[in-house]
Amino acid sequence: MDSSSRLQCEQLQEAAGGALSLAHITGSRAYERFTGNQIAKLQQSRPQEYQDTERISLVSSFAASLFLGDYTAIDYSDGSGMNLLTSGPGPGLRSVWRPPLLIWTACWEIHDPPHLYW
């Protein structure tokens, strides 16, 4: 397993008030394989490549995008393993992006998370 984003996991949990607090927010503590922590690692370690990135997709939606010839949405069950969504029901009884986690992950403005497609 890739544990290269351990530092980002620790930083995210600290920013959320600890592992238990993050678990209450997103349904899980931070794991190295989760997308949010991998995005943060890329943004911190290779900022120019991150800046040059047009879109970040999960493998599951990327494959569908290839077949459709256009970007496809991330399935909620796949997106829940990102540490970027609330774990409880949001508007319309569905999970929603958690702006503070988006900001921490990649230094985005709340109104402008340009690299994730839902």
Side-chain angles (χ1 to χ4, degrees), residues 5-38:
S5 63
R6 183 179 313 269
L7 174 63
Q8 288 74 24
C9 291
E10 292 169 359
Q11 292 171 340
L12 175 59
Q13 288 180 159
E14 182 179 325
L20 186 58
S21 178
L22 182 63
H24 284 299
I25 296 168
T26 69
S28 181
R29 71 170 192 81
Y31 288 100
E32 290 87 351
R33 68 184 184 277
F34 282 11
T35 311
N37 304 308
Q38 293 289 333

Side-chain angles (χ1 to χ4, degrees), residues 69-92:
D70 199 2
Y71 295 115
T72 59
I74 297 171
D75 182 80
Y76 280 107
S77 62
D78 293 334
S80 64
M82 298 176 77
N83 276 137
L84 299 176
L85 296 174
T86 59
S87 63

Side-chain angles (χ1 to χ4, degrees), residues 24-100:
H24 284 299
I25 296 168
T26 69
S28 181
R29 71 170 192 81
Y31 288 100
E32 290 87 351
R33 68 184 184 277
F34 282 11
T35 311
N37 304 308
Q38 293 289 333
I39 294 170
K41 181 182 108 179
L42 176 66
Q43 194 275 335
Q44 292 172 11
S45 65
R46 297 167 48 190
Q48 188 58 52
E49 287 90 342
Y50 174 81
Q51 196 65 29
D52 293 341
T53 301
E54 175 186 336
R55 182 92 42 182
I56 295 173
S57 296
L58 297 179
V59 172
S60 57
S61 60
F62 178 71
S65 296
L66 290 177
F67 290 118
L68 291 173
D70 199 2
Y71 295 115
T72 59
I74 297 171
D75 182 80
Y76 280 107
S77 62
D78 293 334
S80 64
M82 298 176 77
N83 276 137
L84 299 176
L85 296 174
T86 59
S87 63
L93 297 177
R94 62 188 176 105
S95 296
V96 295
W97 292 118
R98 187 74 173 190

